[in-house]
């Protein structure tokens, strides 16, 4: 009798549960409403296929150093250790998330499993990898590593994870952690969703966050925390926009003055050890860290150490005719000294990032023609004069990237504005318009989506330029160029495949969501990026349409995103709230 009453209470409460865990939503996900405890001594057994490639990643082990910020990077990096590290993180999260989901249940309701009723316990998690990892498992070209997995939790508590690759196991374990909650007394961990059946795989193979570490040189700890959050959301790429007009943040031992004089302060730059530590940290989480050095535009910071290499260096006043932002300056376009410089730069940097990256981004955005009118090696602002010189420079850079074993990435202007001839291997990153992806693939090139009108996280904060009395009136109310703020709902409607014909969708590798850092540093980084970037993560992992081909529902996504936000906060990410508690306690009340 008592048992019946209890069951009835539980059933009533379960009916009101809006959040069903897991962000991004898996491809195929069904669940029940049975409680299961998680044993404090839960055992994860990894049974690699006999052919698991233990030697695959030997080079990684030797690129790490004792100075690396991340101590974990000093362990050998092979498939087995990657999975063992993922299991250790999973156990850590399960014990420490301490996530009591009261915000997702009606006021003062009872929603926890009563401790005096007997439920099954999860004590073993069996992990099976059914294929050998490819040698490039941690730095794949888009699609080269299969990230799919299955996860089954039976009502009796048996758990089985199956994946093709060790990265698939990382994804599966992340999903697993998101199914559990902690009781209000902090003593027990449970799921209320058994039985669980998940078969999951990403829609897009390139799922990235681009973080501008040039304008704001975030300490490695901030970047690593961001990698954590990136991995929680099943992104697989962190793109470091590492150099820009305002500051050069990568130390190049072959060219010491570059960072010594080009950083905001000597030392405010990433040493080779820092970079290796960041890339290693990503690799352990199935996140490939891609480096961008932006040339030939956005290079005023080079002029701080090598002024002879830069044309139109820091023109003031009147910068607006020569660049989108101060300071002005671009690498001279027809100067053998610039080629010598780039040769040294690539010879130093490319081999260092190669062990961790399949791609290298050579920039190419916002090249300003007027600058070359002031460049004594060109003396012309005519695009017909500039174009072949630009072609020669890009060919040189891309040949170096290829010779170092990587694939070049460029911003869209190189193709769509300057009409350069790019190798078929080159990936073109779009940002300016919602037709750019379609225009890139129409030329047969691989494209990354990330339209500024949807996926720029920095927009809507207002201007950072200071206006004189004479210009203030025209600039009032000081909105920035890409205002308004891209809220998560807008980001969620972005379809990377919009306008792309069916026969070209395979050329859309995926996309990146962007955080430019004119007004961001470690203090507001988390809140600027999360949870909004989660919306892009779900579009990239799950697709922007649901199983019936409709736009995904905000009404079902919102409580799930709120829940993800709570979980991220528990894990140390300073993500802002999605909605007030009034809404999350009953997801239908705030629907329109
Ligand atoms: C890595 O270092 C170990 C021990 O120092 C050495 O035995 C091994 O040959 C090195 N591997 C490579 C690829 O250099
Ligand atoms: C670590 O850094 C110190 C000083 O910063 C340096 O003397 C030492 O050689 C470095 N060790 C390694 C293994 O790079
Ligand atoms: C479990 O405890 C609740 C109160 O916490 C009580 O109402 C219920 O009767 C108990 N159920 C059983 C099966 O003992
Ligand atoms: C769980 O694992 C333990 C230790 O490996 C083993 O003794 C036990 O039989 C396993 N239980 C199940 C249900 O597989
Ligand atoms: C390997 O695991 C994946 C992911 O669960 C599954 O789709 C695939 O069918 C499995 N392959 C074999 C041969 O078991
Ligand atoms: C840009 O150049 C034009 C003439 O070419 C000039 O009238 C204008 O003032 C300049 N703009 C700025 C911001 O200096
Ligand atoms: C381009 O060059 C021409 C010829 O030197 C000059 O008259 C014109 O002002 C320049 N345009 C800009 C925008 O600098
Ligand atoms: C580029 O430089 C070379 C050698 O200095 C010169 O001969 C050539 O005319 C220049 N090209 C342009 C377009 O200015
Ligand atoms: C590139 O092609 C477009 C479209 O044909 C044209 O508008 C543009 O002027 C060209 N750019 C250059 C630098 O030739
Ligand atoms: C679906 O989303 C697209 C943007 O991707 C938008 O243009 C369209 O209006 C939306 N459709 C509905 C029914 O909301
Ligand atoms: C897709 O089909 C169109 C029309 O048949 C053709 O022009 C285009 O080249 C095709 N695109 C790709 C990427 O195959
Ligand atoms: C949730 O909100 C709906 C709509 O306002 C209401 O009908 C329902 O009773 C509420 N449920 C709870 C448990 O508060």
């Amino acid at each position: 009798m008592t048992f019946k009453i209890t069951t009835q209470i539980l059933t009533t409460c379960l009916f009101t549960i809006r959040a069903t865990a897991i962000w991004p939503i898996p491809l195929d996900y069904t669940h029940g409403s049975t409680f299961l405890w998680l044993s404090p001594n839960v055992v994860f057994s990894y049974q690699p296929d006999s052919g698991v490639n233990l030697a695959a990643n030997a080079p990684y082990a030797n690129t790490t150093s004792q100075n690396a910020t991340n101590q974990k990077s000093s362990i050998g990096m092979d498939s087995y250790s990657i999975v063992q590290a993922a299991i250790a993180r999973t156990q850590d999260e399960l014990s420490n998330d301490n996530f009591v989901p009261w915000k997702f249940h009606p006021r003062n309701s009872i929603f926890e499993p009563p401790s005096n009723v007997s439920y099954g316990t999860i004590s073993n998690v069996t992990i099976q990898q059914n294929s050998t990892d490819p040698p490039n498992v941690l730095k794949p070209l888009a699609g080269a590593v299969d990230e799919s997995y299955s996860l089954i939790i039976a009502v009796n508590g048996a758990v089985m994870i199956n994946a093709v690759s060790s990265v698939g196991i990382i994804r599966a374990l992340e999903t697993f952690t998101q199914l559990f909650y902690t009781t209000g007394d902090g003593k027990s961990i449970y799921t209320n969703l058994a039985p669980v059946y998940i078969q999951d795989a990403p829609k897009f193979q390139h799922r990235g966050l681009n973080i501008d570490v040039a304008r704001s040189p975030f300490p490695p700890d901030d970047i690593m925390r961001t990698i954590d959050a990136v991995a929680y959301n099943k992104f697989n790429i962190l793109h470091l926009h590492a150099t820009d007009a305002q500051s050069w943040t990568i130390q190049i031992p072959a060219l010491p003055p570059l960072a010594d004089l080009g950083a905001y302060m000597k030392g405010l730059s990433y040493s080779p050890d820092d970079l290796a530590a960041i890339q290693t940290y990503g690799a352990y989480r199935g996140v490939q860290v891609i480096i961008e050095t932006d040339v030939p535009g956005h290079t005023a910071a080079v002029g701080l150490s090598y002024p002879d290499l830069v044309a139109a260096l820091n023109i003031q006043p009147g910068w607006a005719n020569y660049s989108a932002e101060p300071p002005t300056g671009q690498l001279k376009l027809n100067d053998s000294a610039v080629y010598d410089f780039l040769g040294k730069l690539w010879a130093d940097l490319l081999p260092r990032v190669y062990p961790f990256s399949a791609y290298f981004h050579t920039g190419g955005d916002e090249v300003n023609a007027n600058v070359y009118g002031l460049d004594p090696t060109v003396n012309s602002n005519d695009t017909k004069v500039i174009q072949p010189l630009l072609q020669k420079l890009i060919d040189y850079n891309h040949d170096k990237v290829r010779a170092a074993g990587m694939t070049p990435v460029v911003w869209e202007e190189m193709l769509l504005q300057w009409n350069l001839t790019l190798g078929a291997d080159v990936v073109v990153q779009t940002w300016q318009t919602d037709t750019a992806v379609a225009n890139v693939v129409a030329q047969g090139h691989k494209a990354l989506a990330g339209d500024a009108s949807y996926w720029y996280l920095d927009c809507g904060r207002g201007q950072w330029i200071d206006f004189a009395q004479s210009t203030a009136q025209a600039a009032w109310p000081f909105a920035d160029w890409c205002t308004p703020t891209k809220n998560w709902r807008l980001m969620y409607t972005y379809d990377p495949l919009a306008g792309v014909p069916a026969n070209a969708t395979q050329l859309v590798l995926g996309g990146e969501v962007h955080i430019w850092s004119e007004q961001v540093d470690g203090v507001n980084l988390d809140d600027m990026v999360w949870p909004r970037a989660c919306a892009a993560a779900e579009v990239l992992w799950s697709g922007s349409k649901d199983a019936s081909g409709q736009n995904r529902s905000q009404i079902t996504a919102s409580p799930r995103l709120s829940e993800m936000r709570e979980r991220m906060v528990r894990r140390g990410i300073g993500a802002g709230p999605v909605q007030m508690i009034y809404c999350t306690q009953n997801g239908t009340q705030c629907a329109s």
Side-chain angles (χ1 to χ4, degrees), residues 43 45 123-124 126 158:
V43 173
S45 57
S123 48
N124 287 5
T126 305

Side-chain angles (χ1 to χ4, degrees), residues 68-131:
T69 319
N70 175 29
Q71 291 307 315
K72 278 182 186 160
S73 66
S74 58
I75 67 175
M77 186 171 284
D78 53 54
S79 300
Y80 189 75
S81 69
I82 291 162
V83 174
Q84 290 307 324
I87 288 171
R89 289 196 306 274
T90 301
Q91 284 171 320
D92 226 48
E93 285 156 7
L94 288 168
S95 352
N96 298 329
D97 275 0
N98 199 18
F99 177 20
V100 182
W102 62 270
K103 291 182 186 173
F104 302 93
H105 298 274
R107 275 172 224 245
N108 302 318
S109 61
I110 301 164
F111 56 85
E112 295 184 349
S115 53
N116 57 357
V117 179
S118 170
Y119 296 104
T121 298
I122 296 170
S123 48
N124 287 5
V125 175
T126 305
I127 303 172
Q128 234 153 7
Q129 185 178 342
N130 64 22
S131 184

